[in-house]
Structure formats: C-alpha cells, structure tokens
Amino acid sequence: MKYLLVSDIHGSLPALERVLHVFEQEHCDLLCLLGDILNYGPRNGLPEGLDPQGIVQRLKPYADRIVAVRGNCDSEVDQMLLPFPIMSDYALLVDEGKRLFLTHGHVWNPEKMPALGIDFFVYGHTHLPYVQEGKDGRPTLCNLGSPTFPKGGNPPTLGIYEHGAIRLVEL
C-alpha cells in the first residue's frame, strides 16, 4: 500500500487541495492526517484560504480512506464535523511487516517515544520537515512539516510511505 502522510493543514483549503492533488497523482491508498486539520491555533496567523467547513466537505469523499489522529489544535467540536475519527493521540499501521507509529507530536515525540517495537515514528507539530534513518534498533524519524505553515525557511511539505521507505514531497 501507499500512504500519503500530512500534518498541520490548519484550516487552509488551498493547502488541502494541493495535498489531495498529490494523493490522486501518486495513486495513494490511504490519506493519513496527523492532526491540526481544521483550526489554525492562536500562535499562527490566519492561513491562506481559511475554510474549515470547506475542508470538511472536501474530505467527506475520502472518509473511508482516511486514518487521522488528534493534534493540539483539534477539538471535540472538530470531531462533530468530520466523518472519520480524529480524537486518538496516535495510530499504529502495519505494512509489509513494518510498523508505523503516527502521531501529531504534542503528546508523543522523539523526546517521549512509546515503548513499542516500531520501525517508523512519523509526526508533525513543529512544522520542521526531516527524515532521519533509523539505526541501532531505533526507528526512522520523520517530521512531515506543514503544507500551510512551513517553518525554518522550508517549503510546504508532506510525506509518502511505500514499500518500507518514507520520502518528503514539496508542494
């Protein structure tokens, strides 16, 4: 299977449109949303094309192909609008024997890792994209960055996972 991994959309409909374009163009099987889907948060400015209700409508046709986790800006009100669950702090996917731990990064992060035998630790939250290959029994770490509010002079990004490898994609 092929997974599109994205975090920190923060209510930007144009950013989501770019994400969905890559999802379709890359022929992905699952859309993994790692939190901060609808709300932009008080520390961020207003995102381009802020439209939480538009995001809900655009995601509805993909609901059966979405795995999502809660970010620090997601709330129970957001869950009431979305047709797929978002309130878990993490999701564990197993693909071809590889275990992917998906989380937003505000609860679980590289400084506070779960005591599980995982191969990939994938998160967002800081909006700083990177991939650090695992070694010596440690998992590969991947921060997806953000399609809406990239930080550190980085471009907007998301991730693609397929056949035991993860790569960052610039939008």
Side-chain angles (χ1 to χ4, degrees):
M1 294 201 37
K2 191 174 193 178
Y3 307 105
L4 186 141
L5 307 155
V6 65
S7 183
D8 299 284
I9 295 168
H10 286 291
S12 172
L13 186 56
L16 177 63
E17 292 294 351
R18 291 187 291 273
V19 166
L20 293 176
H21 176 76
V22 172
F23 183 84
E24 296 297 340
Q25 182 179 8
E26 291 273 345
H27 305 287
C28 294
D29 299 295
L30 272 181
L31 176 59
C32 301
L33 303 173
L34 275 59
D36 290 0
I37 301 166
L38 301 179
N39 287 311
Y40 58 92
R43 295 184 305 184
N44 297 309
L46 288 175
E48 170 195 14
L50 177 64
D51 188 354
Q53 291 179 356
I55 286 178
V56 170
Q57 293 308 311
R58 281 297 283 133
L59 289 175
K60 280 184 179 181
Y62 295 89
D64 63 339
R65 294 180 279 166
I66 291 176
V67 170
V69 298
R70 178 181 67 91
N72 59 304
C73 293
D74 297 320
S75 70
E76 291 180 19
V77 172
D78 300 336
Q79 181 62 85
M80 290 171 19
L81 297 173
L82 292 164
F84 48 86
I86 66 165
M87 296 309 289
S88 178
D89 290 330
Y90 71 92
L92 185 64
L93 298 179
V94 180
D95 184 77
E96 298 176 358
K98 300 292 184 185
R99 295 165 51 106
L100 291 83
F101 187 90
L102 309 178
T103 191
H104 181 65
H106 67 296
V107 174
W108 299 103
N109 54 60
E111 288 75 40
K112 185 183 175 199
M113 302 265 296
L116 300 171
I118 57 175
D119 300 291
F120 292 86
F121 184 89
V122 185
Y123 70 110
H125 185 55
T126 66
H127 305 205
L128 296 167
Y130 76 94
V131 175
Q132 179 182 329
E133 294 297 324
K135 57 184 172 184
D136 300 325
R138 305 257 317 145
T140 294
L141 302 177
C142 178
N143 188 306
L144 301 168
S146 171
T148 304
F149 294 127
K151 294 187 179 172
N154 292 293
T157 54
L158 54 78
I160 303 266
Y161 175 87
E162 183 178 33
H163 300 303
I166 193 164
R167 63 185 163 94
L168 293 173
V169 175
E170 291 183 16
L171 297 174

